[in-house]
Amino acid sequence: MGHTHPLSHSRFQSDVPTDRHMKLPPFTLVQASRSKVSPRKFGELSLSQKEYHKRIRDLGSFNSGLQNALASSLNRGILSASDLSLVTEDLNHSGKSKAIGIWGLRAWVGGLPHIIEHLNRAQSALTFFEVQAAIPSGLVQSAERVAFRANKLLRRKLKPAELKEIRDAVVDIDFFPNAHKVRKTLGVDYLIALTGAAIAGEIEDKAGHTFHTDFFFSYDKHVCLVSTEGLREYARVAKRPFEMAAAYVAVGGLLAAMNHKVDIHDRSAGCLFDYNYDRSKIVVGLKKPLIEVCCLKDIKEENRETAQSLVHALATYKPPGTRPAKPHRAKKSSREKKPREQVL
C-alpha cells in the first residue's frame, strides 16, 4: 500500500556512530555534523599528497551534502580511500546516477548491505547507500495518540470500523519533515526509511476519505517510508530472503515517488504497485516480482529500463554463500540431463 502526503514535525533522539576505527560497507552514508568538513582535515589521514588531491577532486563533482557526508566518513575512518574510489566511480558511471539512501529505523534488515550491492550491480542510473542517521524520538506513536492524530487529519471522529484498526504506528505525515531534513543533510536524491512498525495515514480509497494503519509504504516528494511489519513471515512463506522482501517494498515505493503517474492499484497481481488490501497477497509478488505492462507505461520513459533491471535484480537475488542448485541427473542413465532454465 502507498500514498502521498504533505508535511509536519518531530525530533531526534540519538547520535550517529562516531568510532573512528569503525569500518562499514563502502556504500554507507553516515550523517555528518552540520559544520562542513574542511579539506585540511584530510591531512590527519596517511594519504600521499597526490592521492589526497585526487580524493578532493572526486568529491568535488557531488552536491555539498553528499560531499560532506563522504568526506566526514573518510576523515573518521569509516570509509577507506579505496571505498571512496568505488563509490565515486559508481556515482559517476553514467554521469546521471542518482544517490538513493536507505535509512534503517529499527527494521533489523541484516542483509541490507548485500541487497544494496546487488541492486547497484544491476543498473547504473541509481546508486543505493545504507544510511546511518539519528532516529527521531517519538517515532512510533501509541494507538491513543494515533487515533487523536486521525481525528485531527480527517476533521471528524473515527467511525467504529476505523477505530478498530487503530494501533501503535508511525504517522507518516509527522515523520516526513525530519526525513526531508536528513535527505538534504546527506545530499541524496531520494531517501527511503525502513521501519519495523506499522505506518498510519489518511487516504482516499474505496471507503472514501479515511485512515489506515497498515500501509506497506507511503511517500512525500523525494522521501519514502516503508514498513517491514509482518514482512519476515511473508518472506518465509514466499521462500525469499527477508532483505529481498524489504527491498521489494522499498523499490516499489521509490519508483512510485519517482514517477507520479504510477497508480497504486486495487488488484493484486504480484506487481510492485499492488495496493494489497489483504497484506498477505504480497507473497505473490515476492515469489515472482513484476511490473504490469499498464504500470510500466506510467513510468517515465527514461526510468523504464532501470525499473525493469531492478525487478530482475529482485527476482534473481540470492543471499551470499548460497550454493547454486545442482543439475538433476537421471538415476538409470549415463546421459546427463541439462538443468532447466528458470523463466523470470
Side-chain angles (χ1 to χ4, degrees):
M1 298 184 183
H3 60 298
T4 313
H5 283 301
L7 309 177
S8 188
H9 186 66
S10 190
R11 288 174 54 183
F12 291 110
Q13 73 175 14
S14 62
D15 295 324
V16 295
T18 56
D19 185 355
R20 183 175 177 77
H21 302 290
M22 179 182 63
K23 185 69 173 63
L24 296 173
F27 290 92
T28 304
L29 288 178
V30 179
Q31 188 179 36
S33 59
R34 296 194 175 214
S35 57
K36 188 173 182 179
V37 176
S38 170
R40 294 172 186 168
K41 291 187 178 181
F42 285 107
E44 299 174 17
L45 299 169
S46 56
L47 297 174
S48 68
Q49 188 175 12
K50 183 178 180 180
E51 191 175 16
Y52 158 77
H53 286 297
K54 183 180 185 306
R55 301 294 165 244
I56 299 300
R57 288 197 304 273
D58 288 344
L59 291 176
S61 61
F62 308 137
N63 65 55
S64 59
L66 186 57
Q67 187 179 140
N68 196 41
L70 291 171
S72 176
S73 291
L74 180 62
N75 182 49
R76 292 155 62 189
I78 295 171
L79 288 182
S80 67
S82 59
D83 289 338
L84 187 61
S85 292
L86 181 64
V87 170
T88 53
E89 181 182 354
D90 198 277
L91 281 167
N92 291 326
H93 181 73
S94 66
K96 297 180 181 178
S97 185
K98 293 184 183 298
I100 313 297
I102 302 181
W103 180 20
L105 302 173
R106 300 193 181 98
W108 318 123
V109 185
L112 189 57
H114 302 300
I115 191 73
I116 284 176
E117 182 182 352
H118 185 68
L119 294 176
N120 284 340
R121 284 200 308 266
Q123 44 75 51
S124 60
L126 307 174
T127 298
F128 290 86
F129 292 89
E130 181 177 3
V131 165
Q132 297 207 0
I135 298 176
S137 63
L139 176 67
V140 181
Q141 300 185 34
S142 67
E144 184 180 6
R145 174 66 183 173
V146 171
F148 173 80
R149 294 294 291 124
N151 289 335
K152 285 286 186 181
L153 293 168
L154 296 176
R155 297 183 180 180
R156 62 172 173 80
K157 287 188 176 182
L158 291 172
K159 299 173 184 176
E162 294 171 324
L163 199 55
K164 281 183 181 179
E165 186 188 324
I166 298 298
R167 53 185 166 149
D168 294 359
V170 179
V171 178
D172 56 5
I173 198 171
D174 294 339
F175 168 77
F176 287 137
N178 281 325
H180 282 294
K181 290 176 184 177
V182 171
R183 186 191 74 82
K184 186 175 180 180
T185 300
L186 292 171
V188 294
D189 295 282
Y190 288 86
L191 180 66
I192 304 167
L194 300 179
T195 176
I199 297 175
E202 59 179 320
I203 189 173
E204 291 285 346
D205 67 2
K206 58 186 180 183
H209 186 203
T210 186
F211 194 91
H212 291 307
T213 58
D214 62 349
F215 297 114
F216 275 117
F217 69 77
S218 177
Y219 63 88
D220 178 75
K221 298 177 183 177
H222 288 217
V223 167
C224 182
L225 178 62
V226 170
S227 172
T228 62
E229 186 193 42
L231 204 55
R232 197 177 296 274
E233 177 60 20
Y234 297 139
R236 187 192 65 78
V237 173
K239 298 182 180 179
R240 300 307 305 271
F242 177 50
E243 63 268 24
M244 175 271 170
Y248 174 89
V249 182
V251 168
L254 172 66
L255 292 176
M258 291 177 66
N259 303 276
H260 295 160
K261 288 185 178 180
V262 165
D263 177 42
I264 309 300
H265 47 73
D266 292 348
R267 63 188 178 279
S268 294
C271 178
L272 260 66
F273 308 120
D274 288 351
Y275 192 94
N276 289 322
Y277 278 97
D278 177 353
R279 287 173 67 84
S280 67
K281 295 288 187 180
I282 197 173
V283 170
V284 178
L286 295 179
K287 286 181 177 179
K288 190 175 181 180
L290 62 86
I291 297 177
E292 292 183 280
V293 175
C294 56
C295 294
L296 190 62
K297 290 179 180 178
D298 289 336
I299 293 176
K300 296 174 185 176
E301 188 174 354
E302 64 267 25
N303 294 335
R304 287 175 192 167
E305 184 178 350
T306 299
Q308 290 174 306
S309 295
L310 290 173
V311 170
H312 181 72
L314 291 169
T316 57
Y317 174 76
K318 294 184 183 299
T322 303
R323 293 183 180 180
K326 292 181 179 180
H328 175 73
R329 303 180 191 282
K331 292 181 179 179
K332 297 183 180 180
S333 173
S334 59
R335 293 181 61 191
E336 182 179 310
K337 290 185 178 180
K338 294 182 180 180
R340 297 177 63 185
E341 293 184 0
Q342 183 180 9
V343 180
L344 300 176

